[in-house]
Structures are given as C-alpha cells and as structure tokens.
Amino acid sequence: MGGPGDPPEGTPEGAPAGGEDEYRSVVFDESFVRAARLQEFSAQERMADHTPAVRRRPTLQRGLSRQALILVLLIAIAFGTAIYMGVRHPYQAPTAQPPEPLRMTVIPLSPQTAVPGSASTDELYAHSPAAQFRIGAEGITLPASRRTAHFSDSQVVTALTTAKDYLVESALDPDVLTGSATRPVRILLDPQQLDQFDQSFERPMADGRHAPTGWLVRFDPAGAQLADSKIRVQGTLQAAEFDANTLEVIADHTFVYALKPTGSDAKAKASLFTVRRELHFRFDRDDLRMHQAELAVSYVQAGPLACSEDSVSRLHPLLAGQTAKAGGPAGTDPYATGSATALCGSLAKSAQPKV
C-alpha cells in the first residue's frame, strides 16, 4: 500500500522515486511574483466584472542608483576640466608684475651759431637732413612681425601698433604739442603708471622720473608755434621678448618741426627744431589686451635749445636768428645713432639746414 503522498495507483511509470516532483527546484519567491508581467484576478473580481482571468501589470520604472549618478557626475567634471585646460593659454601668467617707474633723460642741444631761418618751410626741409623723411605717422613704419617663443604673431603686432599710437599721440598731436592736452597720451599708459604721469605734470622735477618732456613733446606756446603741420619723421621699431611674460618694443625716431614765433604773420621766418626720442615699451598680456603700454625708458635729445632754459616742463626752442652759448665741448647730432652723456650738448652744425 502506498504512502499518504503517493497516488492511489502508485507511482506512475517513469516518475521520480520517492514522489520527487521535477518542478520542485523552481522556487516562486515574492520577488519573482512581483516581477511578473501578468497578474491573475481574484475570484470575486472575476464574478463582479466578468473580466478576463488575468490583467497586465504596469512596467516598473527603474531609476539610476546613487553610485551610478555619482559616477556620471565625476565624468562630467573631468570632461569639463579637460576642455578648460585645453582652451586656456599655456603661457598665461598667474599674476601681472607691477611696472617699474619710467626712467627719463632729456638733453637740450645748444646751437653753436645763429639758428638758420627761411620764410619757406619747404626750403628749410629740402636743405636739411630731414629732406627724405616721411610726413607724420607715415614716418613711423611697422617692421615685419614674427612670433616669439611665448607670444603669437598677433600679440607682437598689437605691441608694435600700440607703440606707434603712443608715438603719434605724444609727438604729432597738435593739442599735445601746444600743452593743451595730455589725455591722448595718458589713456595709452599702463594704469599703474598713471600716478607717476600725473605727478610729472602737477609737480615737474628734474629727477629723472617726473619730467613732462620725458613723456611727450610739448613746446612753450608763448614762444613758438607750428609753421607747418607736416612734421617730418623717421625711425625704427623693434620688438623682442623681455622675458617669458613680457614683450619689449624699442622705438628710435627723429621728429623735425618747423616753428616760428607765436603770433607772427605768414611772412615771418621759420626754423627747424629736432627731437630725437628713444623709448622702451614693455607689454604684459593685460597691456596687450587693453591696448596699453608700460613706458620703461625715455631718452630725448632736442634742439636748438638754450642750456640755461628749463627743459623739464616744456621745450623753449631757439628760433630763426637766435643764438645761445654752447652747452658742451662737442657737437651732438640728433640724426646720428649713439647716446649723448652730457646734461646739455652742442647741436652739430650738420644737423642744421644749410640756407
């Protein structure tokens, strides 16, 4: 007789011994039941609504785990950092160094004879070393620019262009030449040099730091005025790296002005006045971006001037027919290269027009 769990007819042929069910290994636990897509209605639900025996359950919405969200966030941060480092300039200086005070030297050149004059400014220029000079800003030419180890072509061009703009505003602007304006020059300077610039005009001193004529060219309006607005100019601009974060531009130009006494008529004789300026400009990346310059060195020779006159605040040119005692043992030619060392030099005869 079979056991209580056996079929009345005994174990069917081929069935597992001991009543083992072949599906007993399949376990329908709670998670399995919950995950099922189909759910059977209860008997009461089927009697009331005559609905099908089963219904479809809504699909469970599974969100990202917290660990996955953190991983995605970290990847996004890393990717953003890589982009920022890629577009950031590799030579960007962390901080800009404050500019040094401008060092300036203004040397008056005293004529050895009476200043030559003529009623025709064209004649004066034609018989002077400035005969082949260009007129105005055309005489300030930009050299072919090349990138440096730490600065691009465009940055070098910006430095040269800013230096040229400074030369034009500080030596060719009629309002600056007469002393009625300084702003066109001031706005081109590094902001950290503005205090020195302002002090130079408020309290001029012959200390190599605070001479207005070291920053720009301006004449005493009570004594001289332009006889010809076509100022002659010739010189050079050179750009090179001062260090890895600074560009330097050296400008060496000679400016020749035709002057006559203030208030004189058109028939009054004019004379030539020559100013040679050697300026050293420095540019960090902030200066290049703002179209400004740091003026580091200003070396000026100007004449004909009397050595006894104050050349710190304004230039007091000697005009046609005027004379002055020689201020130095040898003649200094502002058209020639080289630097004078005396506080006052003699204007070489070769620098004067032969009229």
Side-chain angles (χ1 to χ4, degrees):
M1 198 172 170
D6 294 333
E9 295 82 7
T11 302
E13 183 178 358
E20 292 290 338
D21 188 352
E22 62 178 319
Y23 297 104
R24 188 169 295 176
S25 60
V26 180
V27 179
F28 297 98
D29 58 10
E30 185 178 355
S31 63
F32 180 85
V33 174
R34 288 182 177 178
R37 300 292 301 277
L38 298 177
Q39 183 183 29
E40 184 179 5
F41 286 99
S42 67
Q44 184 176 358
E45 289 174 328
R46 291 198 301 271
M47 291 175 62
D49 298 332
H50 305 285
T51 57
V54 295
R55 61 182 172 189
R56 185 175 296 275
R57 300 181 66 183
T59 303
L60 294 177
Q61 299 294 327
R62 295 182 176 273
L64 292 176
S65 65
R66 179 177 299 179
Q67 292 81 357
L69 286 173
I70 294 175
L71 179 60
V72 171
L73 181 60
L74 290 176
I75 292 174
I77 293 174
F79 186 72
T81 302
I83 293 177
Y84 172 76
M85 295 301 294
V87 301
R88 185 172 182 261
H89 198 292
Y91 304 115
Q92 186 72 28
T95 55
Q97 296 296 326
E100 297 180 359
L102 168 62
R103 294 178 288 110
M104 58 184 70
T105 303
V106 180
I107 299 177
L109 302 179
S110 178
Q112 302 177 50
T113 59
V115 177
S118 173
S120 170
T121 57
D122 291 337
E123 181 183 6
L124 284 173
Y125 282 122
H127 292 86
S128 76
Q132 303 302 319
F133 285 15
R134 294 184 178 182
I135 296 175
E138 293 182 359
I140 306 173
T141 56
L142 301 183
S145 61
R146 295 182 179 179
R147 65 176 303 153
T148 66
H150 300 90
F151 292 89
S152 66
D153 288 331
S154 62
Q155 289 175 316
V156 174
V157 170
T158 298
L160 290 168
T161 303
T162 305
K164 177 178 179 176
D165 290 344
Y166 187 94
L167 292 171
V168 170
E169 298 297 343
S170 65
L172 298 177
D173 187 325
D175 292 334
V176 172
L177 294 176
T178 59
S180 61
T182 59
R183 187 176 183 276
V185 179
R186 190 179 188 274
I187 61 177
L188 291 172
L189 288 171
D190 186 299
Q192 296 187 72
Q193 283 195 309
L194 296 182
D195 285 344
Q196 184 186 5
F197 181 87
D198 293 340
Q199 290 175 13
S200 298
F201 290 86
E202 294 169 1
R203 297 183 297 278
M205 290 183 289
D207 59 355
R209 292 288 190 273
H210 299 93
T213 50
W215 296 98
L216 48 81
V217 177
R218 69 171 181 173
F219 303 112
D220 177 14
Q225 67 182 32
L226 287 175
D228 186 353
S229 60
K230 298 177 181 179
I231 301 166
R232 273 43 173 192
V233 185
Q234 180 171 285
T236 60
L237 287 168
Q238 297 179 340
E241 282 194 15
F242 182 75
D243 56 39
N245 296 310
T246 311
L247 270 176
E248 181 176 58
V249 174
I250 297 178
D252 190 350
H253 290 79
T254 300
F255 301 83
V256 185
Y257 307 85
L259 304 177
K260 64 180 181 179
T262 299
S264 60
D265 57 27
K267 296 182 180 180
K269 285 188 176 183
S271 60
L272 297 186
F273 187 84
T274 304
V275 178
R276 181 187 167 196
R277 306 173 79 200
E278 181 180 323
L279 306 180
H280 293 211
F281 299 93
R282 306 258 172 86
F283 301 87
D284 59 26
R285 288 181 174 80
D286 286 338
D287 292 328
L288 294 173
R289 186 174 64 256
M290 300 301 295
H291 193 67
Q292 295 171 331
E294 171 197 343
L295 188 55
V297 176
S298 174
Y299 176 79
V300 180
Q301 300 176 30
L305 289 170
C307 292
S308 58
E309 290 287 348
D310 176 22
S311 299
V312 173
S313 300
R314 301 177 185 271
L315 300 174
H316 303 268
L318 292 174
L319 302 177
Q322 295 181 336
T323 60
K325 294 182 179 180
T332 301
D333 187 349
Y335 294 90
T337 59
S339 299
T341 56
L343 295 179
C344 185
S346 296
L347 183 63
K349 292 182 179 180
S350 60
Q352 295 276 43
K354 297 176 175 60
V355 293

